[in-house]
Amino acid sequence: QKEVEQNSGPLSVPEGAIASLNCTYSDRGSQSFFWYRQYSGKSPELIMSIYSNGDKEDGRFTAQLNKASQYVSLLIRDSQPSDSATYLCAVIGSGNTGKLIFGQGTTLQVKP
Amino acid sequence: NAGVMQNPRHLVRRRGQEARLRCSPVKGHSHVYWYRQLPEEGLKFMVYLQKENIIDESGMPKERFSAEFPKEGPSILRIQQVVRGDSAAYFCASSRQGGDTEAFFGQGTRLTVV
């Protein structure tokens, strides 16, 4: 079982729609969760961090965390073509050496 | 307020040569992480360092690869006797503290072994 799992996609949504990206993790003791965006040929860019159960909103982005289900999601409202990228879920496990473990990423395509 | 700086951005090495990749963290950050990314693949953890200490090197190949983060100067990822399979993008990230703090990435070094 992979430590952090994401559906590789591609996930295709029309412009203006809500994109929903999902991530599951195997280490039940994990405490810190992050979403990064990576455009093709570029480096990962931090979008959101979340540490507590529930929702965290920042502009058009909402991160959701459910530790009981070991599930993290990212919602992008009013999706734009410029949101087309690969979205990486990252988790710091309970062993807490501070190692960030990444999922494979989900490719999002927003169609005009 | 410079971010994480990596150099060189592109590096071409012949098989058998050495590659040295440098990473200067965000000012005030004392934790550095190195990742490797092959085309169309995810980020693979290699090593996590604090100043003068290796905290976790569980992702480093046992041979030819080494990393350091000295008290002064950048972190260095060193690959000896490179092979074609080492061709990849190598990313460095830094954070202020370890554990649950946010990490920010540099632009990466694209290594090509010919």
Side-chain angles (χ1 to χ4, degrees), chain A residues 37-70:
Chain A
R37 176 175 63 196
Q38 187 175 27
Y39 293 110
S40 181
K42 302 295 185 181
S43 62
E45 173 191 7
L46 181 65
I47 300 175
M48 296 278 285
S49 57
I50 186 165
Y51 305 100
S52 305
N53 278 330
D55 295 1
K56 179 181 178 182
E57 187 174 317
D58 184 0
R60 296 187 295 113
F61 298 98
T62 299
Q64 299 175 317
L65 174 60
N66 183 326
K67 291 184 181 179
S69 300
Q70 295 173 239

Side-chain angles (χ1 to χ4, degrees), chain B:
Chain B
N1 187 16
V4 178
M5 303 299 290
Q6 288 189 249
N7 66 79
R9 293 287 304 277
H10 300 275
L11 182 62
V12 179
R13 283 289 178 265
R14 295 188 184 278
R15 281 177 293 172
Q17 291 184 320
E18 178 180 288
R20 279 188 182 234
L21 287 62
R22 295 175 190 77
C23 170
S24 296
V26 173
K27 188 175 181 181
H29 286 192
S30 59
H31 295 249
V32 164
Y33 317 80
W34 286 94
Y35 292 84
R36 177 164 62 178
Q37 188 173 41
L38 293 168
E40 307 305 321
E41 292 192 12
L43 285 162
K44 301 296 184 191
F45 170 80
M46 298 183 75
V47 63
Y48 165 36
L49 309 108
Q50 256 182 295
K51 286 278 188 183
E52 300 184 278
N53 286 310
I54 295 175
I55 305 301
D56 187 329
E57 57 181 345
S58 57
M60 288 279 271
K62 294 286 187 275
E63 297 176 352
R64 302 188 298 108
F65 285 74
S66 62
E68 63 176 4
F69 189 15
K71 187 176 180 181
E72 301 291 337
S75 175
I76 305 287
L77 179 67
R78 182 181 178 207
I79 310 172
Q80 294 179 290
Q81 299 173 348
V82 297
V83 300
R84 287 231 170 102
D86 297 331
S87 296
Y90 292 83
F91 290 101
C92 166
S94 76
S95 66
R96 185 176 299 279
Q97 303 171 26
D100 59 2
T101 51
E102 296 171 340
F104 300 92
F105 279 81
Q107 294 303 302
T109 294
R110 271 75 177 172
L111 172 66
T112 302
V113 179
V114 297

